[in-house]
Amino acid sequence: MESFLDHLSTVYKTLLILAFLFYTIAISMGKNDFKPIFLYLMTGAFTEVMSKMITWDYFLVLGEKTNAPFFFLFTILQFVFLSYFFKKVIDCPVFTKYFKSSVIIVLIIGIIPYIFNPSWILEFSVWLPLMTIPLLLFFSAYYFIELLKNKMGYPFINIGLFIMLGTTLIFFMTMQFYEGVPPDVKILLRTLHVLPLTILHTLFIYECLLYFKSQIHRLTI
C-alpha cells in the first residue's frame, strides 16, 4: 500500500508540473479565463517545492522543521484564486453582487484565530480550510447549474475542483478520528487524499487540451 501511495504521489506531482506548463502556454495564447487556474497551479507547485526543501533539510521555518506555514499560505491563495476563477466564469447578477462580501467575510473569519494565536501557523490547524472550502464548494455547485443552463464553460475543471474540494473537506473534518489508527489505515487515508488531486490535475490537463484543440480547429478553418 505504501509503495502504491509513493507511485501515486509521483503521478500527482508529474501531472501538476504538466498542468502548470499547459496553462502557462494557454495564458500566453491569451486565454484569460485560465489565469486563476494558472495561479492556483503555481501556488501548488511552489508549496510542493518548499515542502520538499524542508524535508531535505535545506532550511527551517522559525527554527522548526515544518511546512505548516506553507500549508497556511496555500490555503489562503487556493481560496482567493479559485474564488477568482468562479467570479470570472459565473454570469449571474446576484452572484456578482454578493461575491466580494462573502469572500472577504469568510477570509476574515478564517484568519482571525491565527492573528490571536500566531503559533497556529506553525501547526497543521484545519480551521482555515474548514472555513474556506465550503464556500468554494457552493461556488462549484452553483457553476454546475450555470453549465446546465448555458451549455458552455469549463465542466472538467469544475468536476475536478468539486471532487478535490469535497474529499479534502471530508478528510479535514474526520482528522480527529485518525489518532491511534494502524499505519496501514493512515496510508489508505493519505491515498484517498492524493487520489482526488491526481484526478483534479488530469481533468485540468484535459480541459486545457480541449482549448488547444479548439484553437487548432479555428486556425485550420
Side-chain angles (χ1 to χ4, degrees):
M1 180 65 75
E2 188 171 2
S3 177
F4 174 75
L5 176 58
D6 291 338
H7 291 308
L8 185 64
S9 297
T10 301
V11 171
Y12 151 63
K13 291 169 186 175
T14 302
L15 290 173
L16 171 60
I17 294 170
L18 286 175
F20 178 73
L21 292 174
F22 282 13
Y23 279 79
T24 301
I25 296 171
I27 293 299
S28 67
M29 294 171 62
K31 187 61 174 175
N32 291 327
D33 283 351
F34 284 172
K35 280 185 178 179
I37 302 300
F38 165 76
L39 293 171
Y40 168 72
L41 291 168
M42 183 169 63
T43 303
F46 173 78
T47 303
E48 289 292 340
V49 170
M50 291 297 102
S51 297
K52 280 297 181 183
M53 291 182 70
I54 292 171
T55 301
W56 294 335
D57 296 322
Y58 279 95
F59 64 90
L60 300 176
V61 179
L62 298 178
E64 296 190 27
K65 186 177 180 179
T66 175
N67 65 342
F70 294 107
F71 169 74
F72 172 76
L73 179 63
F74 172 79
T75 304
I76 293 177
L77 294 180
Q78 171 183 258
F79 179 64
V80 171
F81 294 145
L82 294 185
S83 295
Y84 176 36
F85 168 74
F86 288 119
K87 183 179 185 299
K88 288 180 71 68
V89 297
I90 294 178
D91 184 20
C92 174
V94 177
F95 177 84
T96 303
K97 181 179 179 181
Y98 293 104
F99 169 82
K100 188 175 181 179
S101 57
S102 62
V103 168
I104 291 175
I105 290 171
V106 168
L107 199 56
I108 290 174
I109 293 173
I111 292 177
I112 280 179
Y114 296 87
I115 296 175
F116 289 103
N117 300 281
S119 61
W120 277 21
I121 297 178
L122 294 175
E123 303 171 2
F124 283 97
S125 171
V126 298
W127 172 260
L128 184 59
L130 288 181
M131 291 298 102
T132 56
I133 291 177
L135 185 60
L136 291 175
L137 279 170
F138 172 77
F139 290 161
S140 180
Y142 192 92
Y143 186 43
F144 275 125
I145 298 174
E146 289 279 302
L147 288 169
L148 290 173
K149 290 192 302 183
N150 300 330
K151 308 297 182 181
M152 294 179 60
Y154 310 104
F156 297 103
I157 288 178
N158 198 42
I159 291 170
L161 289 175
F162 191 83
I163 292 172
M164 182 274 293
L165 292 169
T167 54
T168 301
L169 182 63
I170 294 171
F171 180 79
F172 287 139
M173 289 179 66
T174 56
M175 280 186 67
Q176 59 179 320
F177 304 110
Y178 300 163
E179 293 296 330
V181 299
D184 288 344
V185 176
K186 288 186 177 181
I187 293 173
L188 175 61
L189 292 170
R190 175 64 178 162
T191 301
L192 294 176
H193 180 60
V194 176
L195 182 60
L197 291 171
T198 305
I199 296 171
L200 170 70
H201 294 301
T202 301
L203 292 172
F204 273 5
I205 290 171
Y206 184 67
E207 190 76 72
C208 200
L209 289 175
L210 290 178
Y211 167 69
F212 291 151
K213 181 180 178 181
S214 69
Q215 293 305 295
I216 294 173
H217 178 70
R218 184 176 63 84
L219 291 173
T220 55
I221 294 177

Tab-separated table of all heavy atoms in Angstrom, residues 31-34 36-37 82-92 95-96 139-140 142-144 146-147 150 152-154 157-158 161:
chain	number	residue	atom	x	y	z
A	31	LYS	N	-5.641	33.133	-23.210
A	31	LYS	CA	-6.814	32.536	-22.562
A	31	LYS	C	-6.928	33.080	-21.138
A	31	LYS	O	-6.480	32.464	-20.165
A	31	LYS	CB	-6.673	31.007	-22.554
A	31	LYS	CG	-7.919	30.279	-22.053
A	31	LYS	CD	-9.131	30.548	-22.917
A	31	LYS	CE	-10.307	29.690	-22.486
A	31	LYS	NZ	-11.536	30.019	-23.243
A	32	ASN	N	-7.570	34.217	-20.980
A	32	ASN	CA	-7.627	34.903	-19.684
A	32	ASN	C	-8.448	34.148	-18.643
A	32	ASN	O	-8.195	34.292	-17.434
A	32	ASN	CB	-8.188	36.310	-19.863
A	32	ASN	CG	-7.234	37.221	-20.608
A	32	ASN	OD1	-6.021	37.084	-20.489
A	32	ASN	ND2	-7.766	38.146	-21.386
A	33	ASP	N	-9.443	33.373	-19.072
A	33	ASP	CA	-10.246	32.607	-18.110
A	33	ASP	C	-9.405	31.606	-17.327
A	33	ASP	O	-9.798	31.187	-16.237
A	33	ASP	CB	-11.373	31.855	-18.832
A	33	ASP	CG	-12.517	32.775	-19.211
A	33	ASP	OD1	-12.505	33.940	-18.775
A	33	ASP	OD2	-13.415	32.341	-19.954
A	34	PHE	N	-8.257	31.214	-17.894
A	34	PHE	CA	-7.395	30.223	-17.246
A	34	PHE	C	-6.411	30.850	-16.263
A	34	PHE	O	-5.675	30.125	-15.585
A	34	PHE	CB	-6.617	29.428	-18.296
A	34	PHE	CG	-7.438	28.393	-19.019
A	34	PHE	CD1	-6.914	27.713	-20.114
A	34	PHE	CD2	-8.720	28.093	-18.611
A	34	PHE	CE1	-7.674	26.762	-20.781
A	34	PHE	CE2	-9.487	27.136	-19.271
A	34	PHE	CZ	-8.956	26.472	-20.357
A	36	PRO	N	-6.765	32.312	-13.274
A	36	PRO	CA	-6.873	31.865	-11.875
A	36	PRO	C	-6.375	30.436	-11.665
A	36	PRO	O	-5.757	30.138	-10.635
A	36	PRO	CB	-8.382	31.963	-11.587
A	36	PRO	CG	-8.903	32.924	-12.594
A	36	PRO	CD	-8.070	32.721	-13.816
A	37	ILE	N	-6.636	29.560	-12.631
A	37	ILE	CA	-6.165	28.172	-12.518
A	37	ILE	C	-4.648	28.132	-12.621
A	37	ILE	O	-3.978	27.382	-11.890
A	37	ILE	CB	-6.804	27.287	-13.601
A	37	ILE	CG1	-8.330	27.326	-13.487
A	37	ILE	CG2	-6.296	25.851	-13.483
A	37	ILE	CD1	-8.873	26.846	-12.161
A	82	LEU	N	-9.218	30.351	-6.590
A	82	LEU	CA	-10.382	29.592	-7.068
A	82	LEU	C	-11.649	30.443	-7.002
A	82	LEU	O	-12.525	30.317	-7.874
A	82	LEU	CB	-10.544	28.308	-6.258
A	82	LEU	CG	-9.422	27.267	-6.431
A	82	LEU	CD1	-9.751	25.987	-5.687
A	82	LEU	CD2	-9.177	26.974	-7.914
A	83	SER	N	-11.746	31.310	-6.000
A	83	SER	CA	-12.874	32.253	-5.963
A	83	SER	C	-12.816	33.172	-7.184
A	83	SER	O	-13.848	33.470	-7.809
A	83	SER	CB	-12.830	33.079	-4.678
A	83	SER	OG	-13.023	32.286	-3.539
A	84	TYR	N	-11.626	33.605	-7.522
A	84	TYR	CA	-11.404	34.452	-8.691
A	84	TYR	C	-11.843	33.729	-9.964
A	84	TYR	O	-12.479	34.318	-10.858
A	84	TYR	CB	-9.930	34.837	-8.746
A	84	TYR	CG	-9.482	35.630	-9.943
A	84	TYR	CD1	-10.288	36.593	-10.530
A	84	TYR	CD2	-8.203	35.432	-10.474
A	84	TYR	CE1	-9.858	37.327	-11.626
A	84	TYR	CE2	-7.764	36.164	-11.559
A	84	TYR	CZ	-8.588	37.105	-12.134
A	84	TYR	OH	-8.157	37.825	-13.219
A	85	PHE	N	-11.543	32.427	-10.046
A	85	PHE	CA	-11.959	31.637	-11.207
A	85	PHE	C	-13.481	31.620	-11.322
A	85	PHE	O	-14.043	31.870	-12.407
A	85	PHE	CB	-11.429	30.209	-11.100
A	85	PHE	CG	-12.042	29.260	-12.097
A	85	PHE	CD1	-11.686	29.315	-13.437
A	85	PHE	CD2	-12.980	28.321	-11.701
A	85	PHE	CE1	-12.258	28.446	-14.369
A	85	PHE	CE2	-13.550	27.452	-12.611
A	85	PHE	CZ	-13.193	27.517	-13.951
A	86	PHE	N	-14.167	31.330	-10.219
A	86	PHE	CA	-15.623	31.256	-10.265
A	86	PHE	C	-16.244	32.621	-10.568
A	86	PHE	O	-17.282	32.704	-11.230
A	86	PHE	CB	-16.166	30.695	-8.956
A	86	PHE	CG	-15.900	29.224	-8.780
A	86	PHE	CD1	-15.142	28.763	-7.711
A	86	PHE	CD2	-16.380	28.301	-9.692
A	86	PHE	CE1	-14.883	27.408	-7.554
A	86	PHE	CE2	-16.131	26.943	-9.545
A	86	PHE	CZ	-15.382	26.495	-8.472
A	87	LYS	N	-15.607	33.684	-10.110
A	87	LYS	CA	-16.107	35.021	-10.423
A	87	LYS	C	-16.036	35.290	-11.922
A	87	LYS	O	-16.925	35.936	-12.501
A	87	LYS	CB	-15.306	36.080	-9.673
A	87	LYS	CG	-15.822	37.509	-9.882
A	87	LYS	CD	-15.013	38.510	-9.092
A	87	LYS	CE	-15.616	39.919	-9.202
A	87	LYS	NZ	-15.646	40.412	-10.581
A	88	LYS	N	-14.993	34.792	-12.567
A	88	LYS	CA	-14.817	35.015	-13.989
A	88	LYS	C	-15.799	34.200	-14.831
A	88	LYS	O	-16.214	34.643	-15.906
A	88	LYS	CB	-13.379	34.673	-14.414
A	88	LYS	CG	-12.333	35.671	-13.948
A	88	LYS	CD	-10.941	35.284	-14.409
A	88	LYS	CE	-10.752	35.477	-15.897
A	88	LYS	NZ	-10.770	36.895	-16.305
A	89	VAL	N	-16.170	33.017	-14.368
A	89	VAL	CA	-16.957	32.118	-15.227
A	89	VAL	C	-18.449	32.105	-14.902
A	89	VAL	O	-19.249	31.661	-15.722
A	89	VAL	CB	-16.403	30.680	-15.155
A	89	VAL	CG1	-14.976	30.627	-15.682
A	89	VAL	CG2	-16.469	30.111	-13.737
A	90	ILE	N	-18.843	32.559	-13.704
A	90	ILE	CA	-20.263	32.562	-13.343
A	90	ILE	C	-20.870	33.907	-13.728
A	90	ILE	O	-20.434	34.961	-13.269
A	90	ILE	CB	-20.466	32.299	-11.835
A	90	ILE	CG1	-20.013	30.879	-11.484
A	90	ILE	CG2	-21.932	32.496	-11.445
A	90	ILE	CD1	-20.121	30.541	-10.006
A	91	ASP	N	-21.879	33.842	-14.583
A	91	ASP	CA	-22.526	35.054	-15.085
A	91	ASP	C	-23.910	35.190	-14.456
A	91	ASP	O	-24.906	34.704	-14.982
A	91	ASP	CB	-22.635	34.997	-16.612
A	91	ASP	CG	-23.221	36.268	-17.184
A	91	ASP	OD1	-23.186	37.294	-16.487
A	91	ASP	OD2	-23.721	36.233	-18.325
A	92	CYS	N	-23.942	35.831	-13.288
A	92	CYS	CA	-25.197	35.997	-12.569
A	92	CYS	C	-25.122	37.281	-11.746
A	92	CYS	O	-24.212	37.438	-10.923
A	92	CYS	CB	-25.466	34.803	-11.662
A	92	CYS	SG	-26.902	34.997	-10.598
A	95	PHE	N	-25.016	36.687	-7.950
A	95	PHE	CA	-23.720	36.146	-7.546
A	95	PHE	C	-22.677	37.251	-7.487
A	95	PHE	O	-21.914	37.360	-6.523
A	95	PHE	CB	-23.283	35.054	-8.522
A	95	PHE	CG	-21.926	34.483	-8.232
A	95	PHE	CD1	-21.761	33.477	-7.304
A	95	PHE	CD2	-20.795	34.957	-8.893
A	95	PHE	CE1	-20.508	32.949	-7.027
A	95	PHE	CE2	-19.540	34.443	-8.635
A	95	PHE	CZ	-19.403	33.432	-7.688
A	96	THR	N	-22.653	38.086	-8.529
A	96	THR	CA	-21.686	39.184	-8.586
A	96	THR	C	-21.890	40.169	-7.437
A	96	THR	O	-20.927	40.686	-6.863
A	96	THR	CB	-21.808	39.922	-9.931
A	96	THR	OG1	-21.621	38.992	-11.008
A	96	THR	CG2	-20.773	41.028	-10.040
A	139	PHE	N	-19.719	27.665	-4.599
A	139	PHE	CA	-19.451	28.275	-5.904
A	139	PHE	C	-19.439	27.206	-6.993
A	139	PHE	O	-19.997	27.397	-8.081
A	139	PHE	CB	-18.110	29.007	-5.894
A	139	PHE	CG	-18.087	30.259	-5.067
A	139	PHE	CD1	-16.877	30.805	-4.643
A	139	PHE	CD2	-19.256	30.902	-4.702
A	139	PHE	CE1	-16.841	31.971	-3.887
A	139	PHE	CE2	-19.230	32.068	-3.935
A	139	PHE	CZ	-18.019	32.601	-3.539
A	140	SER	N	-18.779	26.085	-6.713
A	140	SER	CA	-18.677	24.999	-7.687
A	140	SER	C	-20.049	24.418	-8.018
A	140	SER	O	-20.369	24.185	-9.184
A	140	SER	CB	-17.753	23.898	-7.155
A	140	SER	OG	-17.644	22.839	-8.072
A	142	TYR	N	-22.911	25.932	-7.715
A	142	TYR	CA	-23.653	26.947	-8.465
A	142	TYR	C	-23.192	26.978	-9.924
A	142	TYR	O	-24.010	27.149	-10.839
A	142	TYR	CB	-23.462	28.318	-7.828
A	142	TYR	CG	-24.418	29.359	-8.357
A	142	TYR	CD1	-25.634	29.588	-7.720
A	142	TYR	CD2	-24.113	30.106	-9.496
A	142	TYR	CE1	-26.524	30.525	-8.209
A	142	TYR	CE2	-25.000	31.043	-9.988
A	142	TYR	CZ	-26.203	31.249	-9.346
A	142	TYR	OH	-27.087	32.172	-9.844
A	143	TYR	N	-21.895	26.788	-10.142
A	143	TYR	CA	-21.370	26.789	-11.513
A	143	TYR	C	-21.896	25.599	-12.304
A	143	TYR	O	-22.095	25.700	-13.520
A	143	TYR	CB	-19.844	26.800	-11.484
A	143	TYR	CG	-19.203	26.952	-12.845
A	143	TYR	CD1	-19.702	27.864	-13.765
A	143	TYR	CD2	-18.098	26.196	-13.207
A	143	TYR	CE1	-19.120	28.014	-15.022
A	143	TYR	CE2	-17.501	26.340	-14.452
A	143	TYR	CZ	-18.018	27.251	-15.351
A	143	TYR	OH	-17.450	27.400	-16.582
A	144	PHE	N	-22.143	24.462	-11.642
A	144	PHE	CA	-22.765	23.331	-12.324
A	144	PHE	C	-24.118	23.738	-12.901
A	144	PHE	O	-24.469	23.358	-14.025
A	144	PHE	CB	-22.956	22.155	-11.357
A	144	PHE	CG	-21.746	21.282	-11.213
A	144	PHE	CD1	-21.203	21.023	-9.959
A	144	PHE	CD2	-21.147	20.690	-12.322
A	144	PHE	CE1	-20.086	20.220	-9.818
A	144	PHE	CE2	-20.027	19.881	-12.186
A	144	PHE	CZ	-19.505	19.635	-10.930
A	146	GLU	N	-25.011	26.775	-13.762
A	146	GLU	CA	-24.712	27.654	-14.889
A	146	GLU	C	-24.353	26.846	-16.134
A	146	GLU	O	-24.775	27.169	-17.241
A	146	GLU	CB	-23.558	28.586	-14.524
A	146	GLU	CG	-23.908	29.658	-13.517
A	146	GLU	CD	-24.620	30.838	-14.158
A	146	GLU	OE1	-24.050	31.455	-15.069
A	146	GLU	OE2	-25.756	31.117	-13.738
A	147	LEU	N	-23.571	25.785	-15.941
A	147	LEU	CA	-23.163	24.952	-17.074
A	147	LEU	C	-24.360	24.253	-17.705
A	147	LEU	O	-24.431	24.095	-18.932
A	147	LEU	CB	-22.129	23.918	-16.606
A	147	LEU	CG	-20.735	24.456	-16.268
A	147	LEU	CD1	-19.909	23.392	-15.568
A	147	LEU	CD2	-20.017	24.940	-17.520
A	150	ASN	N	-26.283	27.155	-19.673
A	150	ASN	CA	-25.597	27.804	-20.789
A	150	ASN	C	-24.955	26.837	-21.772
A	150	ASN	O	-24.640	27.226	-22.897
A	150	ASN	CB	-24.526	28.758	-20.247
A	150	ASN	CG	-25.114	29.840	-19.369
A	150	ASN	OD1	-26.249	30.255	-19.561
A	150	ASN	ND2	-24.345	30.297	-18.384
A	152	MET	N	-22.127	25.974	-21.985
A	152	MET	CA	-20.776	26.427	-22.322
A	152	MET	C	-20.009	26.674	-21.037
A	152	MET	O	-20.598	27.023	-20.016
A	152	MET	CB	-20.817	27.713	-23.148
A	152	MET	CG	-21.428	27.569	-24.531
A	152	MET	SD	-21.441	29.153	-25.411
A	152	MET	CE	-19.681	29.528	-25.467
A	153	GLY	N	-18.699	26.504	-21.099
A	153	GLY	CA	-17.878	26.737	-19.915
A	153	GLY	C	-16.781	25.706	-19.792
A	153	GLY	O	-16.286	25.172	-20.803
A	154	TYR	N	-16.430	25.404	-18.555
A	154	TYR	CA	-15.305	24.511	-18.293
A	154	TYR	C	-15.739	23.411	-17.323
A	154	TYR	O	-15.357	23.425	-16.146
A	154	TYR	CB	-14.131	25.315	-17.734
A	154	TYR	CG	-13.828	26.539	-18.571
A	154	TYR	CD1	-14.212	27.814	-18.144
A	154	TYR	CD2	-13.204	26.414	-19.807
A	154	TYR	CE1	-13.962	28.933	-18.923
A	154	TYR	CE2	-12.951	27.532	-20.598
A	154	TYR	CZ	-13.337	28.781	-20.151
A	154	TYR	OH	-13.091	29.882	-20.935
A	157	ILE	N	-12.875	21.244	-15.498
A	157	ILE	CA	-12.226	21.967	-14.404
A	157	ILE	C	-13.120	21.931	-13.173
A	157	ILE	O	-12.661	21.655	-12.060
A	157	ILE	CB	-11.918	23.419	-14.807
A	157	ILE	CG1	-10.767	23.464	-15.827
A	157	ILE	CG2	-11.549	24.262	-13.576
A	157	ILE	CD1	-10.439	24.868	-16.316
A	158	ASN	N	-14.400	22.191	-13.375
A	158	ASN	CA	-15.319	22.244	-12.239
A	158	ASN	C	-15.529	20.880	-11.595
A	158	ASN	O	-15.608	20.769	-10.365
A	158	ASN	CB	-16.667	22.819	-12.684
A	158	ASN	CG	-17.488	23.311	-11.511
A	158	ASN	OD1	-16.966	23.935	-10.598
A	158	ASN	ND2	-18.777	23.015	-11.517
A	161	LEU	N	-12.470	20.233	-9.498
A	161	LEU	CA	-12.470	21.051	-8.287
A	161	LEU	C	-13.490	20.540	-7.270
A	161	LEU	O	-13.206	20.481	-6.067
A	161	LEU	CB	-12.781	22.511	-8.634
A	161	LEU	CG	-11.682	23.283	-9.366
A	161	LEU	CD1	-12.170	24.666	-9.761
A	161	LEU	CD2	-10.428	23.391	-8.502
